[in-house]
């Protein structure tokens, strides 16, 4: 296991480099002079030159690349052009909100999706199966901002059960939960849709195995059969999906935070975008890239831990 | 698309049979047909000019005169919705066509060449796959600037990786088949073998998946338009209509709700169709 883990961790290093290089290239795709784009048409030549020096744009490209990689490796992600705070500080300010939201969404998604997925597999081709599949397909079809707006209109504006304007930072725990409920549910139903699909196909695969038939022949009760014998073995793909879904979850949380006016990484990206704060955008991209690689690696490691066959591949 | 799939020599009539047995696939197909007809005949169907402003009829709720109400410039929501269909389908279709072409080429090349080249390419694709589609599209669109062409480029890039993966797997099994070996023995170059012998035999797998990814492309387009990185106003797009509706959400719910339902129906139709097609080409599922 340790050898597998080391190999997997070493594999993450080239991936990270490719990702960093891609981000470097992407940021330099800004057409024309980046300094002029940031400062606008009215900027004086002196301030343009000053900004170019700050951003290192007066250096040759390979020097820019080397100092970019060097900065990232030493943990320096740059400073926000608009607030002057370091990218790390900006992220730490809003990170708790995003973590709170994504964790709540994962809990809701798994709590709703796992039982429904099992039910669709056990009652295959029955009405539960059809309903479950349709629900999950509708869930997959919703762009996060569409479902968010519909939830907002129905539950916050029409029924008034939840606040329309989210303060997010309220100290009162009940108020905080009320603020969290709709956005978490919005992300949770999309998560649920993924979990239902994977659980269904994974359980269908496992339920057809010989050892399930053996257990059934031995007289194991149906409930115990599904939970103890089938689910435990069908769980591996489900774990993977929760891991893989992380990226989608982050993407969708951007839209969800905009709709429900919650502070978080999504709002931070949008703010950086509107303010043409390219250093903040670049820093955020790097952080996302690192997060995605870390979660991928962890998912693979978890996979190896749950299924001993994996590490011999 | 149906013709391309059923004419594939590797998979005779069984595909069509498996597809047509699935009731949900017909729902998807019918929905999609209606949406395409609406897009093509938009000028004939739309009751008003989607760009015509009417100061006296601002934020009118749905009525007999304006079936889905009007927006804050007094423009007819139904007409804008109908014209918006064109943008969504055009962006989705062209982006997927580009992604399919580039992705398939990468996938076939990686699968055919194999070895270290294959490992490097697949490693890169894994990275692209794991990066959130929306964020990648958002970054590219933000860097390039908001326009129809840039939007298509950004979305096409986000969808290349899945196509490459799908194209690679059948290529690896096909290149060991006798007819490819025979072609090589006859002295055909690798380009000819990949293009003439491998591509026609795996194209159905790729085309089938394209409806699922077109759903994803349309979702990304709507999301980027909603954020403000889509086709610039006053062109009606569903995402930007929802954005405007969101700004007036407290006093004009219809502005956001109808384009939301339009996106949902379109993506659902493509997903229903794609799911049915995928199940149909999966021999494991077909056998049952």
């Amino acid at each position: 296991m340790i050898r597998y883990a080391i190999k997997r961790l070493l594999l993450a290093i080239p991936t990270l480099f490719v990702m960093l290089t891609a981000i470097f290239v992407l940021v330099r795709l800004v057409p024309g002079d980046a300094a002029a784009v940031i400062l606008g048409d009215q900027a004086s030549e002196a301030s343009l030159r000053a900004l170019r020096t700050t951003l290192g744009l007066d250096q040759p490209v390979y020097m820019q690349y080397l100092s970019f990689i060097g900065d990232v490796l030493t943990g320096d992600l740059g400073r926000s052009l608009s607030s002057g705070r370091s990218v790390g500080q900006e992220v730490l300010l809003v990170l708790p909100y995003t973590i709170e939201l994504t964790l709540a969404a994962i809990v809701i998604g798994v709590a709703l999706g796992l039982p429904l997925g099992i039910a669709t597999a056990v009652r295959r081709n029955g009405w539960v199966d059809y309903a479950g599949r349709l629900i999950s397909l509708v869930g997959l079809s919703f762009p996060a901002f569409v479902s968010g707006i519909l939830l907002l209109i129905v539950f916050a504006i029409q029924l008034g059960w939840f606040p329309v304007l989210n303060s997010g930072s309220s100290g009162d725990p009940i108020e905080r939960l009320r603020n969290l409920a709709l956005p978490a549910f919005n992300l949770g139903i999309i998560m649920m849709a993924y979990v239902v699909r994977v659980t269904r196909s994974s359980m269908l695969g496992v339920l057809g195995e010989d050892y399930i038939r053996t257990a059934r022949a031995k007289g194991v009760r149906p409930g115990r059969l599904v939970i103890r014998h089938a689910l435990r073995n069908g769980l591996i793909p489900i774990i993977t999906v929760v891991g893989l879904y992380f990226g989608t979850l982050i993407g969708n949380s951007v839209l969800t935070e905009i709709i429900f006016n919650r502070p978080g990484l999504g709002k931070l990206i949008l703010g950086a975008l509107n303010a043409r704060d390219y250093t903040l955008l670049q820093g955020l991209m790097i952080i996302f890239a690192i997060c995605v690689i870390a979660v991928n690696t962890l998912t693979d490691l978890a996979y190896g831990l749950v299924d001993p066959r994996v590490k011999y591949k | 698309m149906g013709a391309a799939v059923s004419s594939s020599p590797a998979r005779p009539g069984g595909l069509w049979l498996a597809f047509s047995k699935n009731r949900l696939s017909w729902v998807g197909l019918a929905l999609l047909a209606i949406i395409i007809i609406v897009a093509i005949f938009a000028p004939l169907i739309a009751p008003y000019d989607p760009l015509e402003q009417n100061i006296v009829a601002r934020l009118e709720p749905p009525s007999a005169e304006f079936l889905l109400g009007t927006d804050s410039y007094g423009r007819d929501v139904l007409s804008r919705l109908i014209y918006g269909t064109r943008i969504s389908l055009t962006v989705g279709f062209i982006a997927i066509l580009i992604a399919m072409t580039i992705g398939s080429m990468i996938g076939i090349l990686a699968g055919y060449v194999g070895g270290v080249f294959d490992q490097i390419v697949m490693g890169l694709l894994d990275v692209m796959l794991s990066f959130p589609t929306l964020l990648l599209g958002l970054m590219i669109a933000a860097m390039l600037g908001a326009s129809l062409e840039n939007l298509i480029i950004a979305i096409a890039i986000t969808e290349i990786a899945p196509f490459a993966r799908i194209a690679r797997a059948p290529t690896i099994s096909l290149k060991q088949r006798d007819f490819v070996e025979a072609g090589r023995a006859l002295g055909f170059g690798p380009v000819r073998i990949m293009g003439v012998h491998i591509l026609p035999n795996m194209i159905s797998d790729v085309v089938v998946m394209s409806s699922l990814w077109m759903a994803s492309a349309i979702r990304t387009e709507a999301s980027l338009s909603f954020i403000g990185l889509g086709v610039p106003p006053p062109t009606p797009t569903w995402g930007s209509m929802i954005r405007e509706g969101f700004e007036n959400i407290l006093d004009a719910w219809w502005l956001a709700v109808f384009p939301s339902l339009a996106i949902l129906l379109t993506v659902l139709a493509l997903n229903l169709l794609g799911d049915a097609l995928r199940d149909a080409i999966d021999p494991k599922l077909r056998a049952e």
Side-chain angles (χ1 to χ4, degrees):
Chain A
M1 182 64 209
I2 290 177
R3 272 192 60 181
Y4 170 73
I6 292 173
K7 229 173 93 181
R8 193 61 197 77
L9 287 174
L10 285 178
L11 207 67
I13 296 172
T15 314
L16 182 64
F17 265 95
V18 171
M19 209 100 146
L20 288 178
T21 309
I23 292 171
F24 178 83
V25 173
L26 191 57
V27 172
R28 270 136 200 92
L29 278 181
V30 182
D33 182 5
V37 173
I38 292 165
L39 293 177
D41 306 330
Q42 313 293 319
S44 70
E45 186 52 41
S47 58
L48 283 177
R49 208 174 306 130
L51 184 64
R52 272 186 221 123
T53 315
T54 322
L55 296 178
L57 289 174
D58 49 353
Q59 307 274 330
V61 174
Y62 69 93
M63 279 303 293
Q64 289 182 35
Y65 180 69
L66 287 180
S67 69
F68 167 76
I69 296 286
D71 283 349
V72 173
L73 291 184
T74 51
D76 178 9
L77 298 177
R79 282 185 179 281
S80 159
L81 287 174
S82 44
S83 74
R85 279 192 290 266
S86 76
V87 173
Q89 275 175 314
E90 289 277 0
V91 168
L92 285 180
L93 275 177
V94 296
L95 197 60
Y97 297 103
T98 299
I99 291 178
E100 184 182 77
L101 180 63
T102 37
L103 281 184
I106 290 177
V107 169
I108 292 175
V110 172
L112 294 176
L114 206 56
L116 190 56
I118 294 172
T120 56
V122 172
R123 298 259 176 270
R124 185 167 189 208
N125 290 331
W127 68 268
V128 178
D129 188 19
Y130 268 101
R133 275 157 69 187
L134 199 64
I135 289 173
S136 77
L137 208 57
V138 172
L140 286 180
S141 302
F142 269 122
F145 68 102
V146 168
S147 50
I149 281 187
L150 296 180
L151 285 176
L152 192 70
I153 289 179
V154 174
F155 292 103
I157 296 175
Q158 299 293 329
L159 295 173
W161 293 354
F162 298 99
V164 179
L165 280 176
N166 206 314
S167 55
S169 53
S170 168
D172 179 15
I174 305 270
E175 202 47 36
R176 212 182 156 102
L177 264 182
R178 257 166 58 97
N179 280 331
L180 180 64
L182 275 186
F185 187 67
N186 183 42
L187 279 181
I189 46 178
I190 303 173
M191 177 89 204
M192 177 202 78
Y194 280 88
V195 175
V196 168
R197 280 171 83 98
V198 185
T199 308
R200 179 176 183 272
S201 68
S202 171
M203 287 295 282
L204 279 180
V206 174
L207 285 173
E209 296 279 345
D210 288 343
Y211 65 84
I212 295 291
R213 205 178 317 141
T214 311
R216 197 176 283 145
K218 277 166 62 188
V220 177
R221 273 178 292 113
R224 191 181 156 88
L225 185 83
V226 168
I227 303 296
R228 286 290 300 267
H229 296 256
L231 183 60
R232 276 179 99 174
N233 288 291
L235 217 51
I236 301 160
I238 302 171
I239 296 174
T240 320
V241 157
V242 175
L244 282 179
Y245 180 69
F246 180 78
T248 316
L249 196 61
I250 293 281
N252 284 332
S253 72
V254 175
L255 296 167
T256 304
E257 282 167 3
I258 296 169
I259 299 285
F260 294 100
N261 195 29
R262 259 181 81 86
L265 286 178
K267 290 273 278 195
L268 194 62
I269 291 184
L270 197 72
L273 210 61
N274 289 337
R276 302 188 163 179
D277 192 338
Y278 287 103
T279 49
L280 182 54
L281 266 183
Q282 173 180 295
L284 287 172
M285 276 198 257
I286 297 168
I287 290 174
F288 277 125
I290 292 172
C291 284
V292 167
I293 294 174
V295 170
N296 273 4
T297 310
L298 285 177
T299 311
D300 273 8
L301 288 178
Y303 214 86
L305 209 61
V306 180
D307 187 349
R309 282 169 302 183
V310 171
K311 56 176 176 268
Y312 297 117
K313 265 213 308 198
Chain B
M1 194 160 74
V5 169
S6 53
S7 69
S8 161
R11 306 176 195 288
L15 175 71
W16 174 248
L17 199 72
F19 174 76
S20 59
K21 262 198 319 203
N22 187 336
R23 262 169 294 173
L24 284 178
S25 64
W26 287 104
V27 179
L29 204 60
L31 271 174
L32 197 65
I34 296 172
I35 294 163
I36 291 174
I37 289 172
V38 166
I40 293 173
F41 297 107
L44 298 177
I45 302 170
Y48 297 93
D49 178 347
L51 301 180
E52 191 189 276
Q53 304 187 3
N54 184 351
I55 306 300
V56 281
R58 293 177 60 237
L59 295 178
E60 294 262 350
S63 64
E65 196 187 354
F66 303 103
L67 283 177
L68 301 184
T70 63
D71 67 8
S72 54
Y73 296 98
R75 296 175 298 197
D76 180 45
V77 171
L78 177 61
S79 304
R80 292 179 65 71
L81 202 63
I82 289 171
Y83 274 88
T85 315
R86 291 185 153 185
I87 298 286
S88 284
L89 290 188
T90 310
V91 171
F93 186 75
I94 300 179
I96 286 304
L97 209 61
I98 297 173
M100 185 161 77
T101 312
I102 300 177
S104 306
M105 274 162 42
I106 295 175
I108 292 177
L109 203 63
Y112 189 76
V113 175
V116 181
F117 177 74
D118 181 35
Q119 277 184 356
I120 294 175
V121 171
M122 291 322 284
L124 290 179
L125 291 177
D126 274 346
V127 176
M128 270 182 83
L129 270 179
S130 53
F131 210 78
T133 314
L134 179 64
L135 286 187
L136 190 62
L138 188 149
M139 301 299 182
I140 300 171
M143 295 305 160
L144 295 176
S147 76
L148 180 64
E149 295 80 14
N150 291 344
L151 189 64
I152 291 175
I153 294 172
I155 294 173
I157 293 175
T158 64
E159 302 286 342
I160 286 176
F163 276 108
R165 285 204 83 128
I166 286 292
R168 175 179 169 266
T171 305
I172 290 176
S173 69
L174 281 169
K175 79 172 177 188
Q176 288 150 1
R177 298 272 291 272
D178 291 339
F179 64 89
V180 172
E181 199 56 53
R184 225 174 291 156
L186 284 170
F188 295 156
V191 175
R192 174 161 178 173
I193 290 178
M194 283 188 271
V196 180
H197 301 271
I198 290 181
L199 182 71
N201 283 300
M202 42 77 58
I203 192 77
S204 62
D205 295 23
V206 176
V207 171
V208 156
M209 295 308 286
S210 65
S211 67
L212 280 181
W213 290 320
M214 188 162 155
S216 148
I218 288 182
R219 225 171 30 208
T220 311
E221 186 272 329
S223 306
L224 291 177
S225 295
F226 175 72
I227 292 173
L229 289 170
V231 181
T235 310
T237 71
W238 293 342
S240 61
M241 286 174 75
I242 297 176
R243 177 189 169 89
E244 287 161 29
F246 183 55
E247 283 157 14
N248 296 296
I249 196 162
L250 286 174
D251 32 46
W253 56 268
W254 56 91
L255 289 184
V257 167
F258 295 119
S260 294
L261 294 178
I263 294 174
L264 182 64
L265 275 182
T266 309
V267 177
L268 185 64
L270 284 165
N271 274 340
L272 282 172
L273 194 66
D275 253 21
L277 283 168
R278 187 175 53 185
D279 288 358
I281 62 160
D282 188 337
K284 256 190 306 186
L285 290 166
R286 210 181 343 166
E288 284 165 12

